């Protein structure tokens, strides 16, 4: 079964638009990666300033290969520090899960 990575980002209200624009600008950065299955950027609705970045991968190894390559570049791992824009998030954590059950809508 797949693995899920959820990047938990604390984003102040005045940085939400910046964060969403940055994700939109790098659309396609992960979709062609080997083993990639799904991506969602989840905006908080009420009571929190936490965004969730949900990705699903075929294996942990596929995720690690992406992180060591294109993922590192997408997360500011290349270029001089002075060239990188200030992060929109004030805090981040990475949660990891194995998919043990799943369901899809029933087909008629």
């Amino acid at each position: 079964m797949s693995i899920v990575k959820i990047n938990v980002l604390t984003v102040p209200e005045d940085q939400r638009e910046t964060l969403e624009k940055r994700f939109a600008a790098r659309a396609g950065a992960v979709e062609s990666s080997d083993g990639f299955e799904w991506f969602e950027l989840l905006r908080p609705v009420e009571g929190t300033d936490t965004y969730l970045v949900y990705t699903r991968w075929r294996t942990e190894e596929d995720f690690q290969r992406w992180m060591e390559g294109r993922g590192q570049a997408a997360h500011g791992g290349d270029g001089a520090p002075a060239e990188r824009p200030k992060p929109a998030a004030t805090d981040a954590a990475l949660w990891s899960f194995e998919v043990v059950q799943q369901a899809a809508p029933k087909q008629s």
Side-chain angles (χ1 to χ4, degrees):
M1 288 282 233
S2 303
I3 62 137
V4 170
K5 299 294 182 172
I6 300 175
N7 198 357
V8 183
L9 304 174
T10 303
V11 182
E13 191 169 341
D14 66 335
Q15 290 296 309
R16 288 180 174 194
E17 185 177 347
T18 299
L19 179 88
E20 292 179 23
K21 283 182 179 178
R22 288 180 184 170
F23 269 93
R26 64 180 221 206
V30 69
E31 287 91 329
S32 61
S33 298
D34 189 42
F36 170 80
E37 296 179 350
W38 199 259
F39 162 85
E40 291 177 324
L41 175 61
L42 306 175
R43 177 192 302 140
V45 177
E46 59 185 40
T48 185
D49 56 359
T50 303
Y51 273 75
L52 300 179
V53 183
Y54 173 100
T55 57
R56 190 173 67 218
W57 298 85
R58 178 179 53 211
T59 67
E60 177 69 26
E61 292 75 22
D62 291 323
F63 172 75
Q64 292 301 327
R65 270 192 299 277
W66 178 76
M67 281 300 294
E68 292 165 4
R70 286 192 272 173
Q72 187 175 21
H75 288 93
D78 61 348
E83 298 171 5
R84 292 184 218 140
K86 180 181 176 231
T90 58
D91 192 28
L94 182 64
W95 297 345
S96 299
F97 299 89
E98 292 179 330
V99 177
V100 293
Q101 294 183 23
Q102 61 186 15
K106 292 184 180 185
Q107 301 294 321
S108 300

